[in-house]
C-alpha cells in the first residue's frame, strides 16, 4: 500500500507542475531576450540561471541571451594599471583598453558556452544538448566626439542581423550576444549592454525582455517592491538605486520600441526567472506599455467570473445575494479589473439621473490579490464615469466596510439622503449604513 502512496511533498510538486501548464502553452514558440550583466556572471547563482535558461529552451521558448562584462573589464583595467574612464555614464574605450574589452567579452562568452555544454548525469543539464550560437549579429558605429570628448572605440548599435538571429532561433539554438559590435570597415566597438538588448528585442519582435538585476525587482524610494508598472507611470516614480533606475529606463525604452512586456528580476534569487514566468504573481516587476491589469466594462460572458468573485462575500453576509438572472440583467453596470483573462476585482455603478447621484455597489477584490489598491482603481474609474454622466454625488450601502469608504472620502448620512426610489428598496433587516461622496 505504501508503495502506491504519493507523499504530500510530491503531490505539491505535481500540483505546481500542473498549474504551470497554461504558462508552458503560452510561452512555447515565443521569443524572449534575456539581459544579464557581468555582475550576474560573478554570482554563485549564475549556474542555476543557466540551468533555468536551458529548461526554457527545452520547453520551446526561443532565446537570445545578451551578456555584459563591465566588472570583468574593470578587473582587467586594474590589473593592467589603466584608469577607468567614463563620460556621461558611458565608458571611454581607447586603444589601450580595447584589447582588455575584447578579452573580457571573449572569456565570459566562453564561460557561458561551457555552462550550456554541461550534461553530467543527475544534473539539471543532463540530456539537454543545448546549441549556442554567437557571432557578428550586431553592426556598430562609433559614438565619435561628444562635448569635446573622444569616445574612441565605444560605439552604438547600427543594425541587428534579424534574419541571421531568427534563422538560428528557428533551428533551436540559443543566440548569445556579447557587448561588441562590428563595422563594415572591420573595426570592433565596445557597446552598452542595454543598447544591444533594446535594439535586439525590438528588431526581432521579441515577446518579452527579461532584465536581471541585483534586487528582487524595481522598488520605489521607500523600498516597496513594485509588482507592475505601466510606462506612463514612470515619470512619477523615484527608484531605490541607480541600477534600478537604469533597468527601469531600459524597460521603458524597449516598450516604446515595440516590446509588449519587460520583466525585471533578481540574478541573486534562485528560481526567480521560473517563478516570474510560470506563476500568476511572478517574482519581480513587470513593465508594460499599458496597464498589465486591464480595466474594462463587463459583458454577459463575465457573469460566471463575477459570481465566483462575489459568492464568498455573499455567504458571509457582506454583500446582498445576487442571482445569475439578476446579474445578467445588470451586467452593463459592472466594471472589471482583469489580468490574463482572470477577473481580480469588480464594482458597479447604478445611476439615479433625476437625483444627480449614483450608487456604487459590489466593490469586491479577490482576497488573494488585495493590497494592490485594485478597489481604489475601480472606485476612481467609476467616479470619473459618474462625473461624465453629470452626476454630482455617489453613495454606497455597507454593513462591514464603512472604514474603507471613509478612507476614500465618503461621509456617513441618514437613510433619508437616499433617492426616493432607493429608500423604497432599503432592506431594514440588513440595516446598512449609508455613505455619500461629493464628486
Amino acid at each position: 500500500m505504501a508503495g502506491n502512496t504519493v507523499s504530500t511533498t510530491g503531490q505539491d510538486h505535481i500540483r505546481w507542475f500542473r498549474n504551470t501548464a497554461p504558462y508552458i502553452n503560452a510561452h512555447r514558440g515565443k521569443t524572449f531576450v534575456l539581459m544579464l550583466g557581468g555582475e550576474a556572471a560573478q554570482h554563485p547563482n549564475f549556474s542555476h540561471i543557466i540551468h533555468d535558461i536551458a529548461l526554457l529552451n527545452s520547453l520551446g521558448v526561443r532565446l537570445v541571451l545578451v551578456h555584459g562584462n563591465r566588472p570583468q573589464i574593470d578587473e582587467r583595467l586594474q590589473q593592467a594599471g589603466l584608469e577607468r574612464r567614463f563620460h556621461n555614464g558611458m565608458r571611454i574605450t581607447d586603444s589601450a583598453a580595447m584589447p582588455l574589452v575584447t578579452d573580457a567579452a571573449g572569456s565570459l562568452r566562453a564561460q557561458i558556452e561551457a555552462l550550456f555544454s554541461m550534461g553530467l548525469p543527475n544534473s539539471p543539464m543532463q540530456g539537454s544538448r543545448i546549441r549556442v550560437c554567437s557571432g557578428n549579429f550586431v553592426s556598430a558605429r562609433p559614438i565619435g566626439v561628444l562635448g569635446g570628448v573622444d569616445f574612441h572605440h565605444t560605439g552604438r548599435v547600427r543594425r541587428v542581423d534579424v534574419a541571421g538571429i531568427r534563422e538560428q532561433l528557428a533551428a533551436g539554438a540559443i543566440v548569445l550576444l556579447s557587448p561588441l559590435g562590428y563595422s563594415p570597415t572591420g573595426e570592433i566597438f565596445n557597446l552598452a549592454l542595454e543598447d544591444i538588448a533594446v535594439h535586439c528585442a525590438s528588431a526581432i519582435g521579441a515577446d518579452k525582455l527579461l532584465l536581471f538585476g541585483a534586487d528582487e525587482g524595481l522598488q520605489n524610494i521607500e523600498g516597496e517592491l513594485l509588482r507592475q508598472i505601466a510606462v506612463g507611470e514612470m515619470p512619477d516614480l523615484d527608484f531605490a538605486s541607480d541600477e534600478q533606475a537604469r533597468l527601469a529606463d531600459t524597460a521603458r525604452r524597449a516598450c516604446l520600441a515595440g516590446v509588449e512586456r519587460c520583466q525585471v528580476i533578481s540574478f541573486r534569487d534562485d528560481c526567480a526567472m521560473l517563478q516570474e514566468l510560470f506563476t500568476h504573481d511572478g517574482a519581480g516587476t513587470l513593465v508594460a506599455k499599458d496597464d498589465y491589469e486591464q480595466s474594462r466594462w463587463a459583458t454577459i460572458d463575465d457573469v460566471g467570473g463575477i459570481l465566483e468573485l462575489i459568492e464568498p462575500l455573499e455567504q458571509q453576509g457582506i454583500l446582498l445575494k445576487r442571482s445569475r438572472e439578476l446579474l445578467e440583467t445588470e451586467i452593463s453596470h459592472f466594471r472589471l479589473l482583469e489580468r490574463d483573462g482572470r477577473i481580480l476585482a469588480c464594482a458597479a455603478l447604478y445611476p439615479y439621473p433625476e437625483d444627480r447621484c449614483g450608487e456604487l455597489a459590489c466593490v469586491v477584490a479577490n482576497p488573494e490579490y488585495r493590497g494592490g489598491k485594485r478597489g481604489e482603481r475601480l472606485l476612481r474609474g467609476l467616479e470619473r464615469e459618474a462625473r461624465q454622466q453629470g452626476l454630482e454625488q455617489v453613495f454606497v450601502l455597507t454593513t462591514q466596510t464603512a472604514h474603507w469608504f471613509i478612507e476614500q472620502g465618503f461621509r456617513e448620512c441618514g437613510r433619508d439622503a437616499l433617492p426616493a426610489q432607493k429608500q423604497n428598496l432599503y432592506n431594514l433587516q440588513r440595516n446598512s449604513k449609508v455613505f455619500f461622496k461629493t464628486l
Side-chain angles (χ1 to χ4, degrees):
M1 178 76 85
N4 295 326
T5 302
V6 180
S7 69
T8 302
T9 301
Q11 287 180 331
D12 289 342
H13 288 158
I14 291 169
R15 289 191 187 99
W16 182 89
F17 184 61
R18 183 186 296 153
N19 290 335
T20 64
Y23 300 99
I24 293 174
N25 294 330
H27 297 330
R28 185 182 296 114
K30 297 296 176 62
T31 301
F32 297 172
V33 174
L34 284 64
M35 189 187 88
L36 279 157
E39 296 82 2
Q42 295 177 327
H43 195 272
N45 191 50
F46 187 61
S47 61
H48 296 154
I49 295 175
I50 295 297
H51 295 161
D52 293 344
I53 293 173
L55 176 59
L56 288 184
N57 179 259
S58 70
L59 293 174
V61 181
R62 300 181 175 193
L63 299 167
V64 177
L65 175 57
V66 185
H67 76 84
N69 56 5
R70 286 169 185 151
Q72 289 80 4
I73 293 173
D74 290 342
E75 289 176 0
R76 284 164 172 77
L77 289 173
Q78 184 178 17
Q79 292 169 1
L82 297 176
E83 179 186 359
R84 298 166 63 245
R85 297 175 60 201
F86 290 86
H87 180 71
N88 290 338
M90 294 184 290
R91 188 188 296 274
I92 298 171
T93 312
D94 59 20
S95 298
M98 193 61 204
L100 304 180
V101 169
T102 56
D103 180 66
S107 176
L108 187 50
R109 183 180 67 232
Q111 177 189 343
I112 294 172
E113 291 173 347
L115 287 171
F116 276 121
S117 301
M118 290 174 59
L120 295 174
N122 302 318
S123 77
M125 299 290 287
Q126 181 180 0
S128 57
R129 296 185 178 89
I130 299 291
R131 261 187 302 145
V132 180
C133 177
S134 56
N136 59 339
F137 293 109
V138 179
S139 299
R141 60 180 177 82
I143 288 179
V145 179
L146 291 178
V149 177
D150 189 347
F151 280 84
H152 299 282
H153 299 284
T154 299
R156 286 198 174 103
V157 175
R158 179 178 181 182
R159 184 177 61 84
V160 174
D161 182 1
V162 175
I165 291 176
R166 287 178 175 169
E167 182 180 348
Q168 295 301 325
L169 294 176
I174 294 175
V175 174
L176 179 62
L177 300 181
S178 298
L180 298 175
Y182 307 90
S183 74
T185 58
E187 294 177 275
I188 304 174
F189 291 100
N190 181 22
L191 305 182
L193 166 67
E194 295 83 0
D195 199 20
I196 297 179
V198 170
H199 277 83
C200 178
S202 173
I204 68 174
D207 298 283
K208 291 181 185 289
L209 171 59
L210 300 178
L211 308 169
F212 289 79
D215 300 305
E216 188 177 2
L218 299 179
Q219 302 169 6
N220 60 23
I221 200 68
E222 288 82 24
E224 175 190 6
L225 176 63
L226 304 170
R227 286 294 184 185
Q228 63 225 16
I229 310 173
V231 167
E233 297 177 281
M234 284 193 171
D236 300 323
L237 293 173
D238 291 319
F239 296 100
S241 68
D242 291 341
E243 183 206 28
Q244 290 190 11
R246 285 196 302 271
L247 290 169
D249 184 64
T250 303
R252 180 190 64 82
R253 289 166 51 206
C255 287
L256 294 177
V259 182
E260 290 294 329
R261 292 181 178 179
C262 299
Q263 279 141 296
V264 182
I265 51 181
S266 173
F267 62 74
R268 295 175 175 173
D269 297 338
D270 191 17
C271 303
M273 182 172 67
L274 298 183
Q275 185 178 346
E276 178 68 17
L277 294 173
F278 295 100
T279 65
H280 201 266
D281 283 335
T285 301
L286 183 139
V287 180
K289 292 168 65 177
D290 301 304
D291 284 339
Y292 181 33
E293 295 178 354
Q294 298 295 329
S295 176
R296 62 173 177 83
W297 289 104
T299 69
I300 196 70
D301 296 329
D302 298 310
V303 169
I306 294 175
L307 284 173
E308 181 181 352
L309 188 65
I310 66 178
E311 277 177 349
L313 297 182
E314 291 176 344
Q315 294 170 3
Q316 298 171 39
I318 297 174
L319 291 179
L320 190 63
K321 186 170 179 58
R322 286 173 170 81
S323 66
R324 176 178 284 271
E325 293 75 16
L326 177 62
L327 190 55
E328 287 176 352
T329 62
E330 298 181 343
I331 194 65
S332 62
H333 294 288
F334 278 78
R335 193 162 184 85
L336 309 176
L337 199 62
E338 71 171 2
R339 181 200 298 177
D340 292 337
R342 183 178 185 182
I343 298 174
L344 302 185
C346 70
L349 172 65
Y350 298 91
Y352 292 83
E354 62 280 0
D355 296 282
R356 307 293 292 248
C357 67
E359 180 184 8
L360 296 174
C362 206
V363 182
V364 180
N366 188 315
E368 296 180 16
Y369 300 97
R370 286 177 185 157
K373 298 186 177 180
R374 295 175 177 87
E376 288 93 327
R377 284 183 59 189
L378 282 179
L379 184 64
R380 301 293 173 260
L382 290 180
E383 288 175 356
R384 286 194 298 270
E385 175 65 22
R387 282 192 291 269
Q388 290 172 4
Q389 294 185 22
L391 306 182
E392 298 175 353
Q393 290 182 306
V394 288
F395 67 88
V396 294
L397 300 177
T398 182
T399 58
Q400 299 182 37
T401 57
H403 282 190
W404 186 83
F405 283 105
I406 292 172
E407 291 170 1
Q408 309 311 313
F410 286 75
R411 56 181 178 80
E412 187 172 2
C413 298
R415 291 203 310 269
D416 56 356
L418 293 171
Q421 183 182 352
K422 188 64 182 179
Q423 289 187 43
N424 295 334
L425 297 173
Y426 184 84
N427 189 327
L428 291 171
Q429 188 174 8
R430 279 180 61 83
N431 194 29
S432 300
K433 293 186 177 182
V434 178
F435 290 87
F436 271 79
K437 181 178 181 178
T438 301
L439 298 176

